[in-house]
Amino acid sequence: MASRSCTNLLELAYGVLDIPCTPSPRTIPRVMTVPGIISDVDNYSNDDGDSDATSPVCRERKIVVANMLPLNAKKDPETKKWCFSLDEDSILLQLKDGFSSETGVVYVGSLKAEIDASEQDEVAQKLLEEFNCVPTFLPSDLHKKFYLGFCKRQLWPLFHYMLPMCPDHGDRFDRSLWQAYVSANKIYADKVMEVINPEDDYVWVHDYHLMVLPTFLRKRYYRVKLGFFLHSPFPSSEIYRTLTVRDEILRGLLNCDLIGFHTFDYARHFLSCCSRMLGLDYESKRGHIGLDYYGRTVYIKILPVGVHMGRLESALNLPSTTAKIKEIQEQFKGKKVILGIDDMDIFKGISLKLLAVEQLLQQNPELQGKIVLVQIVNPARGFGKDVQEAKNETYLTAKRINEVYGSSNYEPVILIDRPVSHHEKSAYYAVAECCIVNAVRDGMNLVPYKYIVCRQGTPHMNETLGITEDSPRTSMLVVSEFIGCSPSLSGAIRVNPWDIDAVADALNLAITMSNSEKQLRHEKHYRYVSSHDVAYWARSFSQDLDRACRDHYSKRCWGIGLGLRFRVVSLSPNFRKLSVDHIVSAYKRTTRRAIFLDYDGTVIPQTSIIKSPSPEVLSMMDSLCKDPKNTVFIVSGRSRTSLGDWFASCENLGIAAEHGYFLRWNSTSDWETSLVSADLDWKEIVEPVMRLYTEATDGSNIESKESALVWHHQDADPDFGSCQAKELLDHLENVLANEPALVKRGQHIVEVKPQGVSKGLVAEKVLLKMVNDGTPPDFVMCIGDDRSDEDMFESILSTVASPALPSRPEIFACTVGRKPSKAKYYLDDAVDVLKLLQGLATASNPKPRHLPHVQPRQESKFSGIGGSMERLTIIDLYMVTSICIYRFLPVKCNQIFKCPDRTLGGTINLYRYNVLVTGSCFVVMGRRVLLLGIVLLVLIGVASSAPTTVTSKILNGYFSNLASVFMKWLWSLKATTKTAVSGRPMVKFESGFTVETVFDGSKLGIEPHTVEVLPSGELLILDSANSNIYRISSSLSLYSRPKLVAGSPEGNVGHIDGKPREARMHHPKGLTVDDRGNIYIADTINMAIRKISDAGITTIAGGKLGRGGSHVDGPSEDAKFSNDFDVVYIGSSCSLLVIDRGNQAIREIQLHFDDCAYQYGSGFPLGIAMLLGAAFFGYMLALLQRRVGTIVSSQNDEVPTKPRMPSSPYQKPLKSVMPPLIPTEDEQEKQEEGFLGSLGKLLVNAWACVLEILGKKHSNYQNQSPLQQQHRHSNTWPVQDSYVIADEDEPPTIETRTPTPRKTYAFMAKDAETIQQLRQSRVFYNGWGDHQQQQHYHRHQSSTPQTFYEQSCDQTTEIVFGAVQEQDGKGEAVVIKPIDYGDPMLGHRSVSYRFNSMGYPHGY
């Protein structure tokens, strides 16, 4: 059933119950007074649980979340209303006694009855008002898959050590059931979020049904106070590792602050799984076991749950209980009762218990008729074939025993397979001489606890039964060693339930033991049970949870990971990631730098098989060392031989080997040996001990150094290797107590080294030497990843604080990995370290920026500027100008170009470099601007006074352009800019701009490489470093949470196609998006182009294994690319352009037509609008140009006579009927028009054109003849002179011309209907017909302006291109349009006429 509950159930009870009320979701985040990140995940509201702003809270509150609410539901048959009552036997209800009376408790869970969707709101309100319960209404199909599916068929068998070896014994993993489990947990989490006040409330989640719920809560509220208690066993790592979703469940539990288990065995199994699968180590501090998980400490609580003493004692005081006790005593008078109460389950061992009783009766015939096993069978919680088989086996075994050893008035085994009330069970507890719990695997099982309490009795019950106060109380327990209560019951007889004989012997011992011993065992058990009841358990867990959450607001938190792999990184507020830009800025400001670098795990990844440095590392180190301002040291635990050989090319690099025992200042200096401890005789003691542990520990080895011995156990079993390392540490500390050696344990190592040798001493020695040499450091950087590097951090901080340093330098102590450290900064891994070193190396060796060197070459000599300007060519004067400019340049410019002669008579050729000279020297001329301007004016004047020849016109234009550029430059100096000059470069800053960070990927573990925009407006972020693609809404903010589109949250690489979340890429470098929203990725390392669509990720080109990067075109599977390329989508051609940088080529991939169809569907209206807009503005611009020209020109100016080309003998006088767009200067009598008149003409002409295009005629024009229209014009414009080219000179015909190649794309091969739709959508009107004739042409060309058109030789007149002309003296307006030879509107010359009703000549 679908849930229709209220969005915030607490609002329903506001003013009715005295409970805290969380405010409604806020639209803006609250102001934070502590460091943290406001999360906005999974489309929740912007309510943030990490703020300090508190809502009105009445009291402390606990939110208890479990699969089932502690309620009983029953529907009244008369009123049809639901009735609810508290389940007094539920441990969830009983744990309230462990909280103070001021603590409110809210329960979240499902009901045991199915509620119709129409009644859910009413039931939810009733439960909240009356019971403080928030129900989670799961749809029936989801609940079935969640509880009966994944919980009972997957987790329950596995946690009880039952593996699905074959289909008949357990179900294999079902992904749909797992999805239902996650969905149900999400619904539970949503209900918690409706009622939680995250700053004050504590959340306590119970049992294996909700093991991923903590992930959803932690994702929403980073600082939520969250505890979890597992009431079932937790299997060993060998069993748990078979679970397909093992990591997701482990990470879900680790998102809690406190995890509780019944026994240490269960906790140990959990810790072992975390160590083996997640690489997490635990340690015990002050009695508390803690796991460090990304800066958060997850505590482990080991405490079995207890029983509710008051509930049991009140049941014993009931009259019905007393009466039942008397009835049972009478029924089994003279017999000893052995009691068993179990659920009908395959793990409870009921059949094994019956076999043990059968064995007991067989081995001890005298007990026949004297003992009775009363087995109460509770209803099964699950259903299935296994439960039915266990039930059948139980009944058959009981029947056989009763038939063999029973009689008409005696049954050795009595099965009670019906619902038994609480007071009846209490009566059986009180009567039984012995209680047996024979489960093969069980989480806790409180039956032994209840039995002990009931055997103790109460004063009222004893008085009713006539038992005196001083009479001894006895009880005997036979318990399986595989149940959770077994370790706490030291007086019980523990048995292996699979050993039938041992169980039979234990039962015989229990019923034959003396009463005094039974009394002692009972008293011991009762003291423990009465003091460790359910209230004590709840109170203890609550106190530990409060302790675990104390430092929540003292650390900075941010979330990383997606989905169920989400986790919160919690670190000190002063501990932050080291920014490359930040340290490079400090690096450039300083001049005396000390740099200390660890090697393994810092410069080289810890997991790298090749331990020698790469050429890139050597290049960076050499660049840093060559900077005279730097003192660089590699401080490592490796031997001096290895480090010396690897870094031999870095001459100025200092090396401290074996943690500083050997030190060398550079490659030319000798190795210095530490004189603190030169005695290494202790190595003869250590080596045999280490060899002994190496032989006993598979996967371990010994590394022998000149000054130390190291025992490695990285490849050994994690648990066994850790245990052996602890033992070896204790062993060596004992044997080396009087030796000058130090034993230290590191990451998977145990190292013995001389005393007084550490990396910290190396840093101190180097810094003090710099001070003594008179170059105290003003910049200190130290990077390391191990515990030994913490000595360097501490030593640097203490050394720089000493009075020996005149001033405190800038310190950058940085650890590798997000973990607690003495360093102030951190970097994620060795890759980040190399990026940082590359930034520093670049800052030490910036790329040179200089002008090219000009080599002068003698080509010609100039004696001066005398002579006629007519004899100067344009190149000559251009050179003269450049030299004249150069003549007045400052010395600095001359030095740049290294010109030996500054005179005009010098032999200098600046033809090729005049622009470079002019632009470069303008920057540095300064005070000589005025002089330069005078020179330019003189040259311009000389050029202007020269005769008006073609050469002089060209020169005049050149100097005019030069003067214009010079004036623009002078004018630009007045711009409101701020100029910052640093050395040679000049930077101009324009004010009014602000830089703001709108997306901070560093806090999310995302490194944006490039961004693309989807058609929907959302943004795609390519995280090349982590090989992921994220999608984010276009409204970017600092708190935006991108969603993973493709890749893996862990940043795994590879070449795997398929579902986006399961696919793998290898550091892609580019992406683009087509019109349909498909994403194309340049997967450079895999040398492939990938496509992400609705169907998943596919490879469309390249990427086959075993192929190196090359340049091969062809089909997708045969194409090859280099390992450096990018992709660009071209919508106009529906293709991808591949910028193959490695092959220095641009390549094209034709896409499918369907991927580009969107652009054509929306192009029609936009194109028409753009055409109309261009026409309007073009016309207005023409009018404006004409008006400006009229104003500027003078009425009395003498119009110069324009030379005309001689007439051609073939010229034919034609009279124009259509004037040009802008009238010529000869038209002086035309009256000037206003703006409105011009606009009116434009609209009328536009309307006429529309009518002509559509093939229609306006009604106002139909009654007018062409001659009448012509007579309405008062004047005409000049006729354009034309001439006809002779027939022998006519151009070749159309048939002989080679057509222009036209590119054909894939979508052109579609069916005709599709192509026609495409053409109609892309182009509004490309032509007015498809009919074409093979024609012969005459070409007409006018003199001024030159006009070309073609005339057919036959009787049809069709203007193809050119100005419209009048032929044969007729006043027919010729219109450029295709010919429809069947149109009746055509005249005898096949010319269509256009008529205008305006009173302007020819429509203008």
Side-chain angles (χ1 to χ4, degrees), residues 663-686:
L663 188 141
R664 188 181 73 181
W665 295 93
N666 50 58
S667 61
T668 59
S669 62
D670 297 331
W671 288 97
E672 300 177 6
T673 304
S674 175
L675 301 178
V676 178
S677 179
D679 185 8
L680 301 178
D681 294 339
W682 49 264
K683 294 178 69 175
E684 299 178 358
I685 303 174
V686 173

Short mmCIF file of all heavy atoms in Angstrom, two decimals, residues 663-686:
data_model
loop_
_atom_site.label_atom_id
_atom_site.label_comp_id
_atom_site.label_asym_id
_atom_site.label_seq_id
_atom_site.Cartn_x
_atom_site.Cartn_y
_atom_site.Cartn_z
N LEU A 663 73.36 10.77 6.45
CA LEU A 663 72.92 12.05 5.90
C LEU A 663 73.95 12.56 4.91
O LEU A 663 75.16 12.48 5.16
CB LEU A 663 72.71 13.07 7.02
CG LEU A 663 72.08 14.41 6.63
CD1 LEU A 663 71.11 14.86 7.71
CD2 LEU A 663 73.15 15.47 6.41
N ARG A 664 73.46 13.09 3.78
CA ARG A 664 74.32 13.65 2.74
C ARG A 664 73.68 14.95 2.27
O ARG A 664 72.50 15.00 1.92
CB ARG A 664 74.45 12.66 1.58
CG ARG A 664 75.47 13.08 0.54
CD ARG A 664 75.54 12.08 -0.59
NE ARG A 664 74.36 12.14 -1.44
CZ ARG A 664 74.14 11.36 -2.50
NH1 ARG A 664 75.04 10.42 -2.80
NH2 ARG A 664 73.06 11.48 -3.23
N TRP A 665 74.50 16.04 2.22
CA TRP A 665 73.96 17.34 1.88
C TRP A 665 73.77 17.50 0.39
O TRP A 665 72.86 18.20 -0.04
CB TRP A 665 74.89 18.43 2.41
CG TRP A 665 74.94 18.44 3.91
CD1 TRP A 665 75.83 17.81 4.71
CD2 TRP A 665 74.02 19.10 4.78
NE1 TRP A 665 75.54 18.02 6.05
CE2 TRP A 665 74.43 18.83 6.12
CE3 TRP A 665 72.91 19.92 4.58
CZ2 TRP A 665 73.75 19.33 7.22
CZ3 TRP A 665 72.24 20.42 5.68
CH2 TRP A 665 72.64 20.12 6.99
N ASN A 666 74.61 16.88 -0.43
CA ASN A 666 74.43 16.91 -1.88
C ASN A 666 75.19 15.73 -2.47
O ASN A 666 75.83 14.95 -1.75
CB ASN A 666 74.88 18.22 -2.50
CG ASN A 666 76.28 18.63 -2.06
OD1 ASN A 666 77.23 17.88 -2.26
ND2 ASN A 666 76.40 19.80 -1.43
N SER A 667 75.15 15.59 -3.77
CA SER A 667 75.77 14.42 -4.41
C SER A 667 77.28 14.43 -4.33
O SER A 667 77.92 13.37 -4.43
CB SER A 667 75.32 14.34 -5.88
OG SER A 667 75.74 15.50 -6.58
N THR A 668 77.88 15.59 -4.13
CA THR A 668 79.34 15.66 -4.07
C THR A 668 79.89 15.49 -2.66
O THR A 668 81.09 15.28 -2.49
CB THR A 668 79.81 17.01 -4.64
OG1 THR A 668 79.24 18.07 -3.87
CG2 THR A 668 79.38 17.15 -6.10
N SER A 669 79.05 15.61 -1.66
CA SER A 669 79.51 15.48 -0.27
C SER A 669 79.49 14.02 0.17
O SER A 669 78.83 13.18 -0.44
CB SER A 669 78.64 16.33 0.65
OG SER A 669 77.31 15.87 0.62
N ASP A 670 80.18 13.74 1.24
CA ASP A 670 80.24 12.38 1.78
C ASP A 670 79.07 12.14 2.72
O ASP A 670 78.45 13.07 3.25
CB ASP A 670 81.56 12.17 2.54
CG ASP A 670 82.77 12.29 1.61
OD1 ASP A 670 82.61 11.98 0.41
OD2 ASP A 670 83.84 12.71 2.10
N TRP A 671 78.80 10.85 2.93
CA TRP A 671 77.73 10.47 3.86
C TRP A 671 78.21 10.69 5.29
O TRP A 671 79.30 10.27 5.67
CB TRP A 671 77.34 9.01 3.67
CG TRP A 671 76.58 8.73 2.42
CD1 TRP A 671 77.07 8.27 1.24
CD2 TRP A 671 75.17 8.92 2.24
NE1 TRP A 671 76.07 8.15 0.31
CE2 TRP A 671 74.87 8.54 0.90
CE3 TRP A 671 74.14 9.36 3.06
CZ2 TRP A 671 73.59 8.59 0.39
CZ3 TRP A 671 72.84 9.41 2.55
CH2 TRP A 671 72.58 9.02 1.23
N GLU A 672 77.37 11.35 6.08
CA GLU A 672 77.63 11.55 7.48
C GLU A 672 76.87 10.51 8.28
O GLU A 672 75.70 10.23 8.01
CB GLU A 672 77.22 12.95 7.94
CG GLU A 672 77.94 14.07 7.20
CD GLU A 672 77.44 15.43 7.62
OE1 GLU A 672 76.61 15.48 8.58
OE2 GLU A 672 77.85 16.44 7.03
N THR A 673 77.52 9.93 9.28
CA THR A 673 76.89 8.91 10.12
C THR A 673 76.58 9.51 11.48
O THR A 673 77.38 10.26 12.05
CB THR A 673 77.81 7.70 10.29
OG1 THR A 673 78.16 7.20 8.99
CG2 THR A 673 77.13 6.60 11.08
N SER A 674 75.40 9.16 11.98
CA SER A 674 74.99 9.68 13.28
C SER A 674 75.93 9.14 14.36
O SER A 674 76.19 7.93 14.44
CB SER A 674 73.55 9.28 13.59
OG SER A 674 73.20 9.66 14.89
N LEU A 675 76.41 10.03 15.20
CA LEU A 675 77.32 9.65 16.28
C LEU A 675 76.59 9.41 17.59
O LEU A 675 77.20 9.12 18.60
CB LEU A 675 78.37 10.74 16.48
CG LEU A 675 79.25 11.06 15.26
CD1 LEU A 675 80.21 12.19 15.58
CD2 LEU A 675 80.00 9.82 14.80
N VAL A 676 75.26 9.56 17.54
CA VAL A 676 74.49 9.38 18.78
C VAL A 676 74.57 7.94 19.24
O VAL A 676 74.72 7.65 20.42
CB VAL A 676 73.03 9.80 18.54
CG1 VAL A 676 72.20 9.56 19.81
CG2 VAL A 676 72.98 11.27 18.14
N SER A 677 74.44 7.01 18.30
CA SER A 677 74.45 5.60 18.68
C SER A 677 75.17 4.82 17.58
O SER A 677 74.57 4.43 16.59
CB SER A 677 73.02 5.08 18.86
OG SER A 677 73.04 3.72 19.20
N ALA A 678 76.44 4.63 17.76
CA ALA A 678 77.23 3.89 16.78
C ALA A 678 77.30 2.40 17.09
O ALA A 678 77.79 1.61 16.28
CB ALA A 678 78.64 4.46 16.71
N ASP A 679 76.81 1.97 18.27
CA ASP A 679 76.85 0.57 18.68
C ASP A 679 75.65 -0.16 18.08
O ASP A 679 74.50 0.11 18.42
CB ASP A 679 76.82 0.49 20.20
CG ASP A 679 76.98 -0.95 20.68
OD1 ASP A 679 77.25 -1.83 19.84
OD2 ASP A 679 76.80 -1.19 21.89
N LEU A 680 75.92 -1.11 17.18
CA LEU A 680 74.85 -1.88 16.54
C LEU A 680 74.93 -3.36 16.90
O LEU A 680 74.44 -4.22 16.14
CB LEU A 680 74.92 -1.71 15.02
CG LEU A 680 74.80 -0.28 14.49
CD1 LEU A 680 74.93 -0.27 12.97
CD2 LEU A 680 73.49 0.36 14.92
N ASP A 681 75.51 -3.69 18.05
CA ASP A 681 75.60 -5.09 18.44
C ASP A 681 74.25 -5.71 18.73
O ASP A 681 74.10 -6.93 18.70
CB ASP A 681 76.50 -5.20 19.68
CG ASP A 681 77.94 -4.81 19.36
OD1 ASP A 681 78.31 -4.85 18.16
OD2 ASP A 681 78.67 -4.46 20.30
N TRP A 682 73.28 -4.87 19.03
CA TRP A 682 71.95 -5.41 19.35
C TRP A 682 71.30 -6.11 18.16
O TRP A 682 70.35 -6.86 18.32
CB TRP A 682 71.04 -4.27 19.84
CG TRP A 682 71.05 -3.06 18.95
CD1 TRP A 682 71.79 -1.95 19.11
CD2 TRP A 682 70.29 -2.89 17.74
NE1 TRP A 682 71.57 -1.06 18.08
CE2 TRP A 682 70.63 -1.61 17.22
CE3 TRP A 682 69.37 -3.65 17.04
CZ2 TRP A 682 70.08 -1.10 16.06
CZ3 TRP A 682 68.82 -3.16 15.88
CH2 TRP A 682 69.18 -1.90 15.39
N LYS A 683 71.82 -5.88 16.94
CA LYS A 683 71.24 -6.54 15.77
C LYS A 683 71.40 -8.05 15.84
O LYS A 683 70.56 -8.80 15.32
CB LYS A 683 71.90 -6.00 14.50
CG LYS A 683 71.60 -4.52 14.24
CD LYS A 683 72.30 -4.01 13.00
CE LYS A 683 71.71 -4.62 11.76
NZ LYS A 683 72.30 -4.05 10.51
N GLU A 684 72.47 -8.51 16.52
CA GLU A 684 72.67 -9.95 16.66
C GLU A 684 71.62 -10.58 17.58
O GLU A 684 71.34 -11.77 17.48
CB GLU A 684 74.07 -10.21 17.21
CG GLU A 684 75.19 -9.70 16.30
CD GLU A 684 76.56 -9.95 16.91
OE1 GLU A 684 76.60 -10.47 18.05
OE2 GLU A 684 77.57 -9.61 16.27
N ILE A 685 71.01 -9.75 18.44
CA ILE A 685 69.96 -10.26 19.32
C ILE A 685 68.61 -10.23 18.60
O ILE A 685 67.79 -11.14 18.74
CB ILE A 685 69.90 -9.42 20.61
CG1 ILE A 685 71.25 -9.44 21.32
CG2 ILE A 685 68.80 -9.91 21.53
CD1 ILE A 685 71.31 -8.52 22.53
N VAL A 686 68.39 -9.18 17.82
CA VAL A 686 67.08 -8.97 17.21
C VAL A 686 66.83 -9.92 16.04
O VAL A 686 65.74 -10.47 15.88
CB VAL A 686 66.96 -7.51 16.74
CG1 VAL A 686 65.68 -7.29 15.95
CG2 VAL A 686 67.02 -6.58 17.93
#
